[in-house]
Amino acid sequence: MDIYNFIKSRRTIRKFKQDRLTKEQLAKYIDTARVAPSAANIQPLKYVAVVSREMTEKMFPLVKWAGYLAPMYNPKEGERPTAYVVVCADTTIRKSGYDMDIGAAVENMMLCALADNVGACWMASIDRDGIRKLLDIPETLEISCVVALGYLAETPKEAEVENGDIKYYLGESDTLYVPKRAMSEIVIKTV
Ligand SMILES: Cc1cc2nc3c(=O)[nH]c(=O)nc-3n(C[C@H](O)[C@H](O)[C@H](O)COP(=O)(O)O)c2cc1C
């Protein structure tokens, strides 16, 4: 698949096969975050890789799934992520202004994972205090978000936005459809 169609094919994954990811795989994905664009090249982001069965199970109750379809679409037993990456900002390096860095870093990780057929859910609805306690993350690291990972066990599809409704929904065979605004709506002008 060419890069254009590969990027367009990425959808958030919330159902995962139970084959385990390896430490080396997580290190590879974080390595792509490491080299992402960073404002003034300050690189304030730090990561915690969660790959053991025990810790991934403990992470599960600390993240919230698919707000528009909760709790019905929460991953069930046997569909849960097999790894997580916790994305933090080191406030001793930069106190604020790293949100765009995070976007670039997370997208790099998600696309690199997808090339291994590993799906991802970028998650900001998370219990930051619970995650800090569980993983013993120091206060100097601001917990921004989590990327849940695992081999894909669903194939959500892009849909058209109808009547301005952007909420993702379940269609035939319980396929998740994700409405995306049309080019004609988002491109204001080309000059
Ligand atoms: C900053 C950010 C935070 C998100 N947080 C969550 C979350 O907490 N839980 C969840 O299930 N999905 C979360 N998502 C995934 C979005 O729901 C998803 O990207 C959106 O519905 C579009 O679907 P797509 O990624 O398949 O294009 C988040 C996405 C972003 C960019």
Side-chain angles (χ1 to χ4, degrees):
M1 200 188 290
D2 64 27
I3 187 96
Y4 167 75
N5 285 300
F6 179 72
I7 292 171
K8 284 193 33 159
S9 76
R10 183 215 56 81
R11 294 275 67 79
T12 289
I13 298 301
R14 299 184 180 88
K15 292 182 189 304
F16 305 92
K17 293 184 182 158
Q18 295 305 291
D19 310 275
R20 305 299 303 181
L21 299 192
T22 63
K23 282 182 186 170
E24 291 72 23
Q25 269 175 298
L26 285 209
K28 181 170 91 170
Y29 307 153
I30 294 170
D31 192 35
T32 67
R34 184 180 67 83
V35 297
S38 171
N41 204 27
I42 292 171
Q43 305 169 63
L45 305 184
K46 303 274 171 82
Y47 305 87
V48 179
V50 181
V51 73
S52 73
R53 194 180 295 271
E54 184 199 344
M55 291 310 243
T56 50
E57 278 171 13
K58 288 184 175 166
M59 279 290 290
F60 185 75
L62 303 176
V63 297
K64 287 210 182 86
W65 298 90
Y68 296 138
L69 297 173
M72 173 254 290
Y73 205 62
N74 289 2
K76 298 183 181 54
E77 197 96 38
E79 298 176 341
R80 294 178 178 171
T82 53
Y84 295 86
V85 174
V86 182
V87 181
C88 305
D90 187 335
T91 56
T92 67
I93 297 177
R94 188 163 192 184
K95 288 207 177 346
S96 60
Y98 39 67
D99 283 357
M100 293 193 215
D101 286 24
I102 288 167
V106 169
E107 185 74 357
N108 270 13
M109 283 196 281
M110 295 199 303
L111 290 173
C112 183
L114 185 58
D116 289 343
N117 216 26
V118 169
C121 183
W122 182 353
M123 314 194 80
S125 265
I126 56 175
D127 175 352
R128 289 178 178 77
D129 292 339
I131 292 171
R132 185 180 298 288
K133 213 167 148 197
L134 175 69
L135 301 172
D136 195 22
I137 296 174
E139 291 290 338
T140 50
L141 297 181
E142 176 84 26
I143 298 174
S144 165
C145 57
V146 160
V147 182
L149 295 153
Y151 288 97
L152 283 81
E154 64 168 347
T155 47
K157 301 212 179 327
E158 179 186 340
E160 286 176 19
V161 171
E162 284 175 25
N163 304 317
D165 189 356
I166 46 64
K167 292 195 188 89
Y168 44 78
Y169 58 90
L170 288 177
E172 76 277 2
S173 326
D174 272 357
T175 299
L176 185 71
Y177 285 88
V178 185
K180 294 291 182 183
R181 296 187 197 279
M183 284 290 286
S184 57
E185 188 183 344
I186 65 163
V187 180
I188 298 161
K189 60 172 108 170
T190 305
V191 293

